[in-house]
Amino acid sequence: MTGHWNDYDHDGAPADDTGRPGTENGMSRRQLMRHAAWFGGAVVLTVAGGQVVSQVAEARDGTAPGMAGAAADNGALRFVQVSDSHIGFQGPANMDVAGSFSEAIHQVNSLGFRPDFVMHSGDLTHLSTAGQFDQVKQMMTGMRTDRVFTVPGEHDSIGDAGRAYRRTFGTGTLGDGWYSFDTHGVHFIALVNTMSLEKLGHLGNAQIDFVRKDLAGLSSDTPVVVFSHIPLFAMYPRWGWSTDDALKVIALLRRFASVTCLNGHVHQLFTKTEGNITFHSATTTAYPLPHPGRAPAPTPQVVPARQLKAALGIRTVGYRRGDRELAVKDERLS
C-alpha cells in the first residue's frame, strides 16, 4: 500500500502520493479504514452471507447479536481465540506479559459458558526457549475448556525452525505443524505460514497440497474456518502482514459458501470481506502494535498504563449447526 495514512482525501480516505484515494486489492482505503477496528472496545462482528456487520453495542444479555441464541442452544459451537501472548517479552510496552495473559485466561474462564475449545493463534512465546514454551503450556492448562489448539508464530521458531514448538505443541500434526479437525458441522484448518519467512508469510507446496486433499471430500455448504498466524490477505505487505502464496489456498476455498479466516500477528482488530471469505485479525494479550503506516516499523507501542488493557483482549465465536452465520465478539481485557 502506497501513500501516507495521515493524508486524507475529501471523503476521509487516505490519499496516495498523487492525491488519489489508495486501494488495496480493489478495496479503497476508505473501505479499509471503515473495516479497521480499533484497540479495545467490544467490537461485535456478525458474518452472514459473505457480509460483515460491525457494531460496538452489545445485546441486552451481554452477548453479540446472533450469539444469544447460540449461548442458549446446547448444540451450538462456541470457541475462543487468544493470540500473541509473547511469554518472555520484557520491555516498557508491557512489563508483565505473563500477568496480562493470566488475566486473559481468567476472562476466558469467566465467560459464563465453557468454550468447546480455545485456539492460540501464534507467538505463544517471545524467544522460543524451552522455558517459555513450558510456561505458556502450563498457563493454558488453567483454561476451562475441553481442548486447546495452537498454531506457531514467527517468535515460536527463532533459531530452531520450530522444533521446540513442535515438541511442545505439535503432537498429531503434519509437516511444520499443520492439521485439520471437524466439530459441530464446521471444518477447521490450522495452517503454518511462519517457518519459511523472508518478508512475507509463506505456506509452501506441501501444505497447499495438504489443504487441497483435506478439502476435496467436503460439501460446498460446509462452513470452513481457517487459522493462521500471519494474515492470508494483503493487510500491509510493507510490514510483512501478508502471505505470499495464500492465493493458492484462497482459490481452493472459493467453492465454499461460508469461509472465515482468523489470524494473529498484527496485534489489532481488523476485518476484510472478499466474496464468500471473511478475514478477522485478532488483538493480542501482550502489547499493541501501530496501525499500518503510522510508524516506521511494527514495533511494540508504549501506551499509558491505564490504557494498556484496552489494547489487549480475547475473541469469542459462536455457531449453530445449519446456519451460515458465525457470531464473532472481540472484548478488551478487563
Side-chain angles (χ1 to χ4, degrees):
M1 184 177 295
T2 61
H4 307 285
W5 282 58
N6 57 351
D7 294 331
Y8 292 85
D9 65 13
H10 65 280
D11 287 321
D16 63 16
D17 292 339
T18 67
R20 297 187 298 261
T23 61
E24 178 72 18
N25 288 346
M27 185 179 184
S28 73
R29 292 208 192 130
R30 179 166 55 255
Q31 292 171 314
L32 197 67
M33 292 296 287
R34 186 186 305 131
H35 283 84
W38 48 93
F39 287 135
V43 182
V44 179
L45 299 162
T46 302
V47 186
Q51 299 296 316
V52 175
V53 179
S54 61
Q55 65 182 84
V56 179
E58 296 181 341
R60 289 183 180 179
D61 63 354
T63 62
M67 186 75 89
D73 183 353
N74 290 333
L77 168 68
R78 292 168 295 179
F79 68 90
V80 173
Q81 180 188 8
V82 297
S83 197
D84 294 89
S85 52
H86 285 271
I87 296 301
F89 172 81
Q90 295 181 333
N94 186 344
M95 301 300 291
D96 185 15
V97 293
S100 57
F101 190 48
S102 292
E103 291 190 44
I105 292 171
H106 175 73
Q107 190 159 338
V108 171
N109 293 342
S110 303
L111 287 171
F113 62 89
R114 182 183 178 90
D116 293 286
F117 66 86
V118 174
M119 164 60 75
H120 193 306
S121 52
D123 282 352
L124 296 90
T125 70
H126 195 65
L127 296 174
S128 66
T129 67
Q132 290 170 7
F133 281 121
D134 287 343
Q135 182 178 2
V136 71
K137 183 176 183 179
Q138 288 299 316
M139 293 179 74
M140 289 197 296
T141 60
M143 289 179 174
R144 295 171 189 162
T145 182
D146 295 333
R147 295 175 291 177
V148 175
F149 296 101
T150 66
V151 293
E154 76 280 7
H155 283 265
D156 299 318
S157 59
I158 294 174
D160 72 346
R163 286 187 292 274
Y165 165 82
R166 290 190 295 275
R167 281 196 300 270
T168 309
F169 296 102
T171 301
T173 64
L174 302 172
D176 289 328
W178 57 78
Y179 56 96
S180 67
F181 62 96
D182 296 271
T183 185
H184 293 73
V186 181
H187 187 69
F188 292 86
I189 306 175
L191 300 179
V192 178
N193 55 0
T194 58
M195 295 299 175
S196 301
L197 290 174
E198 290 188 6
K199 182 178 180 182
L200 303 179
H202 183 73
L203 295 165
N205 290 334
Q207 190 168 196
I208 294 168
D209 287 342
F210 159 74
V211 175
R212 182 179 295 107
K213 295 173 183 176
D214 184 69
L215 295 175
L218 295 180
S219 168
S220 60
D221 61 359
T222 303
V224 178
V225 177
V226 182
F227 293 105
S228 66
H229 181 63
I230 297 174
L232 295 178
F233 67 99
M235 180 174 176
Y236 200 65
R238 184 180 300 178
W239 284 356
W241 291 2
S242 184
T243 301
D244 59 11
D245 53 356
L247 289 179
K248 295 179 180 179
V249 166
I250 298 304
L252 298 171
L253 295 167
R254 289 294 183 198
R255 72 178 179 90
F256 294 92
S258 174
V259 179
T260 305
C261 298
L262 303 176
N263 67 269
H265 188 57
V266 303
H267 291 218
Q268 56 198 273
L269 302 175
F270 188 94
T271 296
K272 181 178 181 179
T273 300
E274 293 183 356
N276 63 319
I277 303 177
T278 301
F279 304 88
H280 294 293
S281 295
T283 190
T284 171
T285 69
Y287 52 79
L289 293 177
H291 289 303
R294 295 186 181 177
T299 55
Q301 299 293 287
V302 178
V303 299
R306 65 183 180 278
Q307 296 178 17
L308 180 59
K309 287 185 180 180
L312 312 178
I314 66 172
R315 165 176 288 156
T316 60
V317 181
Y319 174 76
R320 287 178 295 183
R321 188 187 296 266
D323 287 354
R324 288 187 57 209
E325 180 177 305
L326 288 155
V328 181
K329 180 180 179 183
D330 292 293
E331 297 182 89
R332 63 176 169 227
L333 204 61
S334 62

